[in-house]
């Protein structure tokens, strides 16, 4: 009896093992074993806690997503709109694979066959899945020269400035020559004829429309208090500096009519208040704008002006003073106060200094009506070989 029972058990075990071998063989033949077969993508979901872990219908550059499908074990590469993503092969499973969409996708150069695609490659195959990756809408954060002349080439800085289809200036005047860079961080545009009105620049791309921010506007003449023309309280200490309409060598053309021109060579170390590079003004003659109340916080305002440095500078500092005190030291050739570079402009460039950067200035009333002074100081250890630069259109603008 025992012998019959043992034989029966052995037969059952053999049948079970045979069935398992058959099932394994069948799975191997039809390619359903984990990690085998061509990859399949069925969708994407957000990689974050509920309720964010829902199925996605579109995604943005920089988003953390989970690819869903099958045969995703052993992924070797993932591309979003033709841009390779950084992957961690230790993450995920056969049906889920988390990955970060590249934050920077050069949409301006993405071909039509790459646009809105995800390409996944494993050791066993490649799959292309159609999925919309939303390009960022354009956003203008600053304008290189806010007081340009006709024909000047200016730069718009921001994000999403690619695939540009049109740029419009104040007065609804369309530009005809423009180009954005591949990263979308800037665009150059030639100022068309007839642009004289105050206003903002509008950029239209394949992916949206942007208007320059409120403190980056063109032709803000109303808030100019010193332009060396009709608004001028300039009282020089010597024959120089001079107010000119243009300079031939190095070439500096007028920003708007006349401008202040500094030109001096061989300034020795430790020289302060160089007579030829001193620009005091008479506060009673400065046309400070009445746009703001005297109680307007300094943190909400900025001093803007145009500067032209054709030969470049890399030493000393320029002191901006309010009534011979409240000094702001401007050294654009110093990065983080230590790394020295050569500061050079290609034409006129707008500079913005927060009014709160001037020590002791807390409201607009602290500067309104006061004289302004500009001084070049060689506070370094060597000789400043050349100071050659122009200034124009000092103004107070609202930044908040």
């Amino acid at each position: 009896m025992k012998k019959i029972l043992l034989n029966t058990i052995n037969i059952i075990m053999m049948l079970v093992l045979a069935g398992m071998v058959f099932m394994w063989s069948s799975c191997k033949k039809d390619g359903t074993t984990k990690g085998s077969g061509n990859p399949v993508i069925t969708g994407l979901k957000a990689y974050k806690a509920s309720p964010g872990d829902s199925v996605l219908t579109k995604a943005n550059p920089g988003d953390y997503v989970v690819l869903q499908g099958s045969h995703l074990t052993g992924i070797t590469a993932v591309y979003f709109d033709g841009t390779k993503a950084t992957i961690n092969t230790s993450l995920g499973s056969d049906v889920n694979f988390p990955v970060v969409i590249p934050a920077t996708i050069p949409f301006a150069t993405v071909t039509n066959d790459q646009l809105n695609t995800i390409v996944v490659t494993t050791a066993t195959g490649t799959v292309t899945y159609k999925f919309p990756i939303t390009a960022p809408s354009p956003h203008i954060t600053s304008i290189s020269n806010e007081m340009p002349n006709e024909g000047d080439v200016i730069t718009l800085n921001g994000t999403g400035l690619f695939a540009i289809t049109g740029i419009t200036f104040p007065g609804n005047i369309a530009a005809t020559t423009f180009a954005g860079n591949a990263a979308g961080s800037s665009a150059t545009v030639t100022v068309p004829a007839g642009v004289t009105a105050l206003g903002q620049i509008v950029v239209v791309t394949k992916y949206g429309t942007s208007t320059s921010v409120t403190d980056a506007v063109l032709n803000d003449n109303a808030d100019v208090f010193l332009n060396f023309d009709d608004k001028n309280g300039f009282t020089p200490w010597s024959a120089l500096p001079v107010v000119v309409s243009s300079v031939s060598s190095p070439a500096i053309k007028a920003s708007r009519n006349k401008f202040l021109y500094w030109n001096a060579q061989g300034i020795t170390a430790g020289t302060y208040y160089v007579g030829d590079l001193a620009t005091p003004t008479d506060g009673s003659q400065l046309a400070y704008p009445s746009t703001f109340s005297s109680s307007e916080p300094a943190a909400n305002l900025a001093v803007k002006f145009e500067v032209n440095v054709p030969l470049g500078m890399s030493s000393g500092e320029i002191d901006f003073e309010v009534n011979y005190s409240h000094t702001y030291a401007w050294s654009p050739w110093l990065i983080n106060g230590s790394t020295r570079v050569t500061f050079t402009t290609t034409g006129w460039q707008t500079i913005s200094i927060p009014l709160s950067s001037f020590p002791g200035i807390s409201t607009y009333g602290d500067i309104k009506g006061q004289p302004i002074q500009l001084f070049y100081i060689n506070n370094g250890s060597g000789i400043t070989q050349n100071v050659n630069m122009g200034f124009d259109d000092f103004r107070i603008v609202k930044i908040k």
Side-chain angles (χ1 to χ4, degrees), residues 38-89:
N38 291 331
V40 175
I41 302 296
T42 58
L44 280 76
K45 68 176 182 179
Y47 186 80
K48 56 183 177 180
S50 180
D53 58 350
S54 56
V55 174
L56 297 173
T57 57
K58 63 181 180 180
N60 303 307
D63 283 355
Y64 199 174
V65 299
V66 177
L67 306 179
Q68 296 181 294
S70 58
H71 309 306
L72 301 182
T73 300
I75 285 180
T76 58
V78 180
Y79 293 84
F80 293 88
D81 283 14
T83 299
K84 192 174 185 179
T86 300
I87 61 174
N88 186 341
T89 55

Side-chain angles (χ1 to χ4, degrees), residues 137-146 153-162 164 167 169 179-181 183-189 201-203 205 210-218 304 343 346 348-352:
S137 298
H139 181 60
I140 305 170
T141 56
S142 65
I143 304 170
S144 65
N145 180 8
E146 297 174 10
V153 178
I154 63 175
T155 300
L156 311 178
N157 302 300
T159 57
L161 300 175
F162 40 60
I164 298 173
I167 296 180
F169 282 77
N181 64 5
S185 59
S186 66
T188 56
V189 56
I201 293 178
V202 177
V203 173
T205 74
S210 175
T211 301
S212 59
V213 292
T214 55
D215 64 314
V217 298
L218 295 184
K304 282 191 176 183
F343 176 69
T346 54
W348 291 92
Q349 178 176 319
T350 298
I351 303 298
S352 179

Side-chain angles (χ1 to χ4, degrees), residues 27 31-40 69-75 93-95 121-125:
C27 289
T32 59
T33 303
K34 179 180 178 180
S36 67
N38 291 331
V40 175
S70 58
H71 309 306
L72 301 182
T73 300
I75 285 180
S93 66
D94 201 55
V95 295
T121 300
T122 68
T124 56

Side-chain angles (χ1 to χ4, degrees), residues 90-335:
S90 65
L91 299 177
S93 66
D94 201 55
V95 295
N96 292 298
F97 189 83
V99 62
V100 178
I101 300 174
T104 301
I105 296 177
F107 286 98
T109 58
V110 175
T111 60
N112 287 334
D113 61 315
Q114 292 175 324
L115 191 64
N116 294 328
T117 63
I118 301 173
V119 178
V120 174
T121 300
T122 68
T124 56
T126 297
V127 63
T128 298
Y129 182 70
K130 296 294 291 184
F131 186 83
I133 307 298
T134 306
S137 298
H139 181 60
I140 305 170
T141 56
S142 65
I143 304 170
S144 65
N145 180 8
E146 297 174 10
M147 297 286 193
N149 292 309
E150 173 187 339
D152 286 351
V153 178
I154 63 175
T155 300
L156 311 178
N157 302 300
T159 57
L161 300 175
F162 40 60
I164 298 173
T165 59
I167 296 180
T168 304
F169 282 77
N172 200 32
I173 300 174
T176 57
T177 305
F178 50 80
N181 64 5
S185 59
S186 66
T188 56
V189 56
T190 301
V191 179
V195 178
T196 58
L198 168 70
Q200 295 164 284
I201 293 178
V202 177
V203 173
V204 180
T205 74
K206 288 171 57 177
Y207 308 104
T209 300
S210 175
T211 301
S212 59
V213 292
T214 55
D215 64 314
V217 298
L218 295 184
N219 306 322
D220 188 10
N221 294 306
D223 291 334
V224 172
F225 64 85
L226 174 63
N227 61 7
F228 306 100
D229 294 297
D230 59 317
K231 300 174 181 179
N232 188 17
F234 175 57
T235 55
W237 280 2
S238 65
L240 294 176
V242 294
V243 173
V244 298
S245 296
S246 64
V247 177
S248 58
S249 181
I252 303 179
K253 69 177 182 178
S255 58
R256 297 289 176 91
N257 301 313
K258 296 178 182 179
F259 60 91
L260 174 70
Y261 177 52
W262 278 3
N263 182 22
Q265 292 77 39
I267 302 172
T268 58
T271 300
Y272 294 80
Y273 304 110
V274 180
D276 290 347
L277 303 180
T279 308
T281 62
D282 181 347
S284 65
Q285 297 184 45
L286 298 182
Y288 281 101
S290 57
T291 313
F292 324 107
S293 69
S294 295
S295 60
E296 184 75 40
N300 296 345
L301 303 172
V303 177
K304 282 191 176 183
F305 59 93
E306 267 61 54
V307 68
N308 199 324
V309 191
L311 300 182
M313 291 184 65
S314 58
S315 62
E317 71 181 34
I318 298 171
D319 283 358
F320 294 86
E321 300 183 2
V322 178
N323 197 21
Y324 295 98
S325 58
H326 313 292
T327 303
Y328 176 81
W330 186 57
S331 300
W333 38 83
L334 282 181
I335 307 299

